Amino acid sequence: MKIQAGESLNYADLNEIIRSSVDREVQIEGCVGQRYIGAGLAGRKIRIKGTPGNALGAYLDGSEIFVDGNAQDAIGDTMNAGKIVVKGNAGDAVGYAMRGGKIFIRGDAGYRVGIHMKAYKEHRPVIVVGGIVGSFLGEYQAGGIIVVLDLEKNPLGIVGNFCGTGMHGGEMYLRCDRLPALPAQVRAERVERVTEGEIFTVLKEYCDTFSLDLERVLSEGFYRLTPNTDNPYRQMYTAN
Amino acid sequence: MSDMLFMYPEYEVVRDSDRCIGCRVCERQCANEVHYHDEETGKMLADSTKCVNCHRCVCLCPTHALKIKKSEDTYKLNANWDGQTINEVYRQAGSGGVLLSSMGNPKPYPVYWDKLLVNASQVTNPSIDPLREPMETAVFLGKKTAKVERDENGKLKDTMSPQLKLSMPVMFSAMSYGSISYNAHESLARAAEELGIFYNTGEGGLHKDFYRYGKNTIVQVASGRFGVFKDYLEAAAAIEIKMGQGAKPGIGGHLPGAKITDAVSNTRMIPKGVDVISPAPHHDIYSIEDLRQLIYSLKEATAYKKPVIVKIAAVHNVAAIASGIARSGADVIAIDGYRGGTGAAPTRIRDNVGIPIELALAAVDQRLREEGIRDNVSVVVAGSVRSSADLLKAIALGADACYIGTAALLALGCHLCRSCHTGKCNWGIATQVPELVKRLNPEVGYKRLVNLMHAWNHELQEMMGGMGINSIEALRGNRLMLRGLGMTEKELEILGVRHAGE
């Protein structure tokens, strides 16, 4: 079904139309900031033209969402499965606590990307950002993969401050030559050439999604960040 | 002299050798390995340094040969530096660690419930006999702001927000699977179902076996979002966003990997054996507007069918915070006082952060009334409601209902040894060790919870009847039914009650 959103359709009504529709595929045109689109939905394919509002695809449970435009804050909050693709930029708190599924952003993303992302059994969440991200990337990361590509070589630098604070699981790939400042519990290793493995598969899917040249993306090396296995928290407490 | 400094145990195991028959029950029952059998003399001995004073051996000794006594050993008496304070310094000097404790704040702060007295009818305003007259203890939690709207045929439209119906104004507090055992959870779930009230999953997810109790389940969404997914939200009767906890306001949690067993990992939807960190704040909530966003994302994900509760710790500014929450779209505000229990919290935070629930409740109720938004939300309070009397006083101070945690655990056998963080609960409550968990029989546990609640409900009805009040609705916020004793003007002012005799 096709929905003309516009300014007069508020988010609750729009989302009720989507929820109660029997169509698997939904197209939203003229989206102007309606929030919570696709919250908790499974088995749907939602195409959005315009700018969806905050919490797009929260608790998403297997649907696919394509945004032909920019997205705002908190997309894929606590997402369980499915895929969110944003052609433009995304706001803050992308994929907060997401457990599974994929978020592909062609442009930049804001602060707090992938905070407390986790993994569980077959669920392994993936966030790929084509541009740059703000501060607090992957804070408290507990699982999954976060990739930042900085394809346009933005002079602002690939990531802001406090990258990986409290990281205790999963991995991050930063496509850059200079390592950002990292806390003691994060370890960094240089990967000059990605040729195989999960990261390769992820990058291939990302490039296919946005019709990018995979070879160009792979032509530069990455820093791979993982938690330092010497757990710094274990010694913190004394039974009283 | 590093961490080897000997500290004389605070409690000693005393065994009456005339009564002891050497059956070794105490030895088998103690997960802390206090009791042992001396092969040479054939006698049972005890290492009191390992004793946590949980009374498991005392209760199970068939000849009642055991008791635990407060140790008479003492450092040189000092009103400023008491033994506990000195020992805490020794412990930290040895380990460099943050002191970790369990259950509620045990410090001798004033208990305002005990300074409040309840009214009764005499002569001119007859009391109600609850045996003869109907006495309504059911309450509905949720927004009460429905507008009267009619459809084109003039019929009333249902504009009521979703409500939780409780047979009595009590629910079981949030306690996660992980912090308490499977059998403890089952006991709470079954009791909630039988009583027509609710229990709360805490932030540890919902075990698949307990989905069948969904209509009596409140599921929690906390900063770590453990176990939160569509089915979990769908399964519940209501969703609680945990912003804070009375025992540890303002901080997050850290569950060591060793406690993440298979079942706990499945329920929390996290890898087995890996440390789990709950960040201090929700890192997507830095304002009331952000909170509103989470509330509405949950409502959208569940088609506006379930009330959303926001739980906060009682802190200095609680009235202003509650005012914000009441405008955020939340259906219920839960406030947890500084005496609230926990499976593990830094001692300093548990014992020094937050304010008494009695004062917080009075301040919040007053503020919401003044602003004309009291009906936007129901108010549920927690943080040491110990009896039906505390419950009644809480309602008279303005609460719609109370959460009980510690009292419920006591019903299950907890002896408040405050050692939950060791994971070796001899009563099978705060542990994941299979041999210990099976000591708590959910069949017995749930009946004891039902008994306790039935008893409280009877007492509640009797006290209400005595006041000439026949429904919780008429008692709520009825502060004229309370008088204070031995309080300052300021305390009375905050509580909104008069002094006894006035």
Side-chain angles (χ1 to χ4, degrees), chain B residues 283-337:
Chain B
H283 277 293
D284 54 348
I285 301 180
Y286 295 162
S287 66
I288 293 291
E289 290 77 9
D290 288 348
L291 174 64
R292 182 182 179 84
Q293 181 178 305
L294 182 60
I295 291 169
Y296 276 90
S297 75
L298 291 166
K299 289 187 178 216
E300 282 284 347
T302 52
Y304 295 88
K305 288 184 186 135
K306 300 170 199 293
V308 173
I309 305 166
V310 174
K311 177 181 177 181
I312 53 167
V315 290
H316 299 178
N317 235 351
V318 67
I321 296 160
S323 166
I325 295 171
R327 297 162 200 276
S328 71
D331 299 273
V332 180
I333 303 178
I335 310 167
D336 195 11

Side-chain angles (χ1 to χ4, degrees), chain B residues 230-242:
Chain B
K230 190 69 192 302
D231 294 357
Y232 171 80
L233 300 175
E234 287 288 347
I239 301 166
E240 180 169 276
I241 298 172
K242 178 194 179 186

